Amino acid sequence: ARRWQLDPDTVRKLLRKRNVPAVPGAWKRSRFAISEIWRIEGVSAAQMRDPENHEALLEPLLTANDLAEVMGCVPATVRNYARDEILKSIRLGTTIRFRWSDVSQLLDGV
């Protein structure tokens, strides 16, 4: 929930919908493997296996509001860029998130 900046109930629904198994252990709350979380975020198996990608994959995800603040525009513009596939985005239910490494590549190229 913290990584995706979503309500815990919403995260549980997303995980249940995608049949993500909890990691066995003596925890009070369910825990999930990072590889399963990355799979939901659309990370390929090749990227997961490459340790050089792990630092970028572990970065916190940005909301449209966060990214709009950085880019100096309104959140609707960021969402439109994602819809038009100008910005690579991650769909989590009805919300949208962005990986800073993907955004910085776009900003460096402009």
Side-chain angles (χ1 to χ4, degrees):
R2 203 174 321 136
R3 174 175 175 73
W4 291 340
Q5 299 178 29
L6 292 173
D7 180 71
D9 290 334
T10 305
V11 172
R12 279 191 278 280
K13 282 182 193 174
L14 282 168
L15 296 173
R16 216 176 302 126
K17 181 179 177 182
R18 296 179 188 238
N19 298 321
V20 177
V23 175
W27 299 291
K28 289 183 180 181
R29 295 188 184 110
S30 298
R31 308 237 179 197
F32 300 91
I34 191 67
S35 59
E36 293 293 331
I37 302 302
W38 286 342
R39 186 178 54 81
I40 291 171
E41 292 175 4
V43 177
S44 70
Q47 289 175 311
M48 285 185 216
R49 283 191 301 268
D50 186 2
E52 292 181 14
N53 290 330
H54 289 185
E55 186 176 333
L57 293 174
L58 288 171
E59 293 174 343
L61 300 177
L62 302 169
T63 64
N65 291 340
D66 296 338
L67 192 51
E69 201 172 295
V70 170
M71 294 175 68
C73 61
V74 295
T77 302
V78 173
R79 286 190 215 82
N80 289 340
Y81 285 168
R83 182 195 63 216
D84 297 339
E85 297 180 1
I86 296 169
L87 278 174
K88 188 175 177 185
S89 62
I90 300 166
R91 287 253 170 224
L92 300 169
T94 59
T95 63
I96 189 167
R97 297 291 182 262
F98 303 90
R99 202 177 305 285
W100 177 250
S101 56
D102 296 335
V103 173
S104 64
Q105 288 175 357
L106 177 73
L107 295 177
D108 291 344
V110 172

